[in-house]
């Protein structure tokens, strides 16, 4: 067989090999995209729409403690660092007052359900209603109680309490 | 004897050269042409960065990436009948220092033929698009960051690695 014939055979074989799937190597191309996401501190407090807590009058002998007509549904949402301490406090602006008559604020207490803790109101210092570590949501209920006494002067007493949620 | 044959060859050659074209004999020739069409892949992205701004989780449960959709152009030459695949893999979960948010908090919607919606993973490549055979394809991804109250604060980052493969 001549040189020319062998050359043709080799060329044909090469063409067949290069066109066969077995010869072809997968082709790839890659690209990178850098992703960033910003998560900042946030605090959101929801008292379930409640803006008042009312205590109906009652006989001190039958009800030593008056209970507010409705519990307050508290929802806390906070974004902080993994080890950050989220705190919810409450503080009265003043004693319960009716004109010049006063019921000291320490007669106001509360029981708590869910993620909240019970306590006694103060007008001089914020009282903890809850404390948590890290971000998340927390739910609970707060039911106010007022010590009932024959010593109270009749009147329509009121004060304002301020809730503060802090997420560092 | 040899000299006579040589003379005859020379005469014949001279006659052939002087002959009209109409009498010229056809001279067949062959040439082997070969073209190598190997698999090729070319990927183009409209941006190299994606950013998710901070937002109130109650107001925006899914934060879209700023700048709108990521535009993708994929060119592939592949074996007939074979699948061309574009996939994406996060190099790691979203990290801010030692704080980690799973990569699965990033999802995307897709538009364009062959493109599919998905959820990012840091462990397995997720298909962004796939087609059969060679061609040029374009589409887009709109990324979203799942915005939760449970995410610790921080500036998180990771890298997405897109790979276009044509067998």
């Amino acid at each position: 067989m001549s040189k020319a014939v062998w050359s043709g055979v080799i060329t044909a074989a090469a063409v067949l090999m290069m066109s066969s799937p077995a010869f072809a190597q997968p082709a790839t191309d890659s690209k990178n995209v850098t992703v960033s996401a910003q998560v900042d501190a946030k605090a959101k407090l929801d008292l379930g729409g409640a803006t008042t807590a009312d205590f109906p009058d009652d006989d001190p002998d039958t009800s030593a403690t008056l209970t507010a007509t409705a519990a307050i549904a508290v929802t806390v949402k906070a974004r902080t660092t993994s080890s950050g301490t989220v705190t919810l406090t409450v503080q009265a602006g003043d004693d319960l007052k009716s004109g010049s008559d006063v019921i000291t604020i320490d007669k106001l207490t509360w029981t708590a359900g869910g993620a909240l803790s019970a306590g006694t109101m103060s007008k001089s210092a914020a009282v903890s209603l809850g404390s948590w570590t890290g971000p998340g949501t927390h739910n609970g209920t707060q039911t106010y109680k007022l010590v009932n006494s024959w010593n109270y002067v009749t009147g329509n007493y009121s004060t304002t309490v301020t809730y503060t949620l802090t997420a560092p | 004897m040899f000299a006579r044959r040589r003379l005859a060859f020379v005469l014949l050659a001279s006659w052939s050269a002087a002959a009209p074209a109409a009498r010229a004999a056809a001279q067949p020739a062959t040439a082997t042409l070969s073209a190598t069409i190997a698999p090729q892949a070319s990927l183009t992205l409209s941006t190299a960065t994606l950013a998710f701004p901070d937002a109130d989780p109650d107001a925006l449960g899914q934060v879209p990436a700023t700048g709108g959709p990521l535009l993708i152009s994929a060119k592939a030459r592949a074996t007939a009948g074979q699948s061309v695949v574009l996939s994406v893999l996060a190099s790691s979960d979203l990290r801010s220092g030692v704080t980690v948010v799973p990569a699965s908090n990033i999802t995307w919607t897709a538009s364009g033929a062959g493109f599919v919606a998905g959820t990012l993973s840091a462990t397995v490549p997720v298909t962004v698009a796939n087609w059969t055979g060679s061609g040029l394809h374009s589409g887009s991804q709109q990324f979203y960051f799942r915005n939760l109250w449970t995410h610790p604060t921080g500036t998180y980052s990771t890298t997405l690695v897109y790979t276009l493969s044509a067998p």
Side-chain angles (χ1 to χ4, degrees), chain B residues 30-103:
Chain B
T30 60
T32 302
L33 303 179
S34 66
T36 302
I37 308 296
Q40 295 281 346
S42 176
L43 177 64
T44 304
L45 305 178
S46 63
T47 183
T49 59
L50 288 174
F52 298 99
D54 179 56
D56 182 344
D58 288 343
L60 208 53
Q62 299 282 342
V63 180
T66 56
L70 172 69
L71 307 180
I72 300 171
S73 175
K75 302 174 185 176
R77 233 165 36 188
T79 305
Q82 295 295 302
S83 290
V84 174
V85 178
L86 174 61
S87 63
V88 64
L89 174 67
S91 61
S92 70
D93 287 322
L94 290 157
R95 294 181 182 276
S96 175
V98 297
T99 307
V100 175
V101 169

Side-chain angles (χ1 to χ4, degrees), chain A residues 56-152:
Chain A
D57 185 38
D58 205 349
D59 182 343
D61 288 341
T62 56
S63 297
T65 302
L66 302 176
T67 301
T69 51
I72 297 175
V74 179
T75 300
V76 168
K77 299 176 181 178
R79 271 208 312 216
T80 184
T81 61
S82 297
S83 58
T85 300
V86 177
T87 58
L88 175 62
T89 61
V90 62
Q91 182 172 2
D94 203 346
D95 291 319
L96 288 158
K97 289 187 175 178
S98 174
S100 59
D101 299 319
V102 175
I103 298 175
T104 57
I105 200 64
D106 60 349
K107 299 293 189 296
L108 182 65
T109 62
W110 67 85
T111 58
L116 304 180
S117 52
T120 300
M121 190 62 75
S122 169
K123 65 176 183 180
S124 58
V127 182
S128 178
L129 193 54
S131 178
W132 307 273
T133 300
T137 60
H138 311 279
N139 299 296
T141 57
Q142 181 190 29
T143 303
Y144 279 107
K145 308 279 186 178
L146 181 63
V147 175
N148 201 4
S149 171
W150 285 108
N151 296 325
Y152 291 162

Side-chain angles (χ1 to χ4, degrees), chain A residues 39-71:
Chain A
V39 176
D40 293 340
K42 284 183 174 50
K44 188 173 287 187
L45 177 62
D46 184 358
L47 300 180
T51 55
T52 60
D54 298 319
F55 299 93
D57 185 38
D58 205 349
D59 182 343
D61 288 341
T62 56
S63 297
T65 302
L66 302 176
T67 301
T69 51

